[in-house]
Amino acid sequence: MNFKRGSHDEELEINFIPLIDVLLVIIIFLIVSATFSRTSELQINLPTADANAPQEKPLTITIEVDANGRYLVNGKEANGAVVSDLSAALLEAGKAGPADKEPTIIINADAKATHQSVVNIMEAARTANYTHITFATQVNSH
């Protein structure tokens, strides 16, 4: 029984034309972007050259001193905190490298180490006739 007189139900239909338009735009975008990626690739053959032999890495001697005044020379504990003992340890560590090249002394001192302990290392390096001295630091974290 149809109680509604005069009303006609229209059939529902799906309009595919906007869907086709959107799909065509997507396909065109993919084709254009794929074309650009192919043209950006370059086939490069690098030229060859005779290079010099790599230079030898310079000899470094690392001296560490902690807040308590303990010394480590290349990871080995120094026998004493006296300048002569440190100088002997530096000379022993310097024998590992070539005799004609002077090693670089890297001082890793704790922030709480005394000033005197760092001066002792510098004096020991001077006694051992090593003039290349540098200090290791770390990047400030804030």
Side-chain angles (χ1 to χ4, degrees), residues 2-47:
N2 191 0
F3 293 111
K4 295 182 181 180
R5 292 186 183 196
S7 85
H8 297 284
D9 288 333
E10 292 183 19
E11 289 185 32
L12 296 175
E13 61 183 58
I14 298 176
N15 193 355
F16 285 108
I17 294 176
L19 178 65
I20 292 171
D21 289 343
V22 170
L23 287 176
L24 283 175
V25 169
I26 291 173
I27 290 172
I28 290 171
F29 175 75
L30 289 175
I31 290 172
V32 169
S33 65
T35 303
F36 284 133
S37 68
R38 271 188 260 129
T39 59
S40 66
E41 295 176 7
L42 297 176
Q43 296 294 330
I44 297 176
N45 292 324
L46 296 175

Side-chain angles (χ1 to χ4, degrees), residues 58-62 102-106 130 132-134:
L59 176 66
T60 59
I61 300 174
T62 304
E102 181 181 338
T104 300
I105 310 296
I106 301 173
Y130 295 151
H132 300 294
I133 300 174
T134 186

Side-chain angles (χ1 to χ4, degrees), residues 23-104:
L23 287 176
L24 283 175
V25 169
I26 291 173
I27 290 172
I28 290 171
F29 175 75
L30 289 175
I31 290 172
V32 169
S33 65
T35 303
F36 284 133
S37 68
R38 271 188 260 129
T39 59
S40 66
E41 295 176 7
L42 297 176
Q43 296 294 330
I44 297 176
N45 292 324
L46 296 175
T48 59
D50 293 332
N52 292 337
Q55 295 180 352
E56 292 181 18
K57 188 175 178 183
L59 176 66
T60 59
I61 300 174
T62 304
I63 299 181
E64 301 171 11
V65 59
D66 64 0
N68 298 328
R70 287 186 24 211
Y71 296 94
L72 295 176
V73 179
N74 282 346
K76 297 178 183 175
E77 190 163 356
N79 291 335
V82 184
V83 173
S84 60
D85 294 337
L86 291 173
S87 179
L90 285 174
L91 288 172
E92 183 66 30
K95 291 180 183 177
D100 60 339
K101 292 190 178 182
E102 181 181 338
T104 300

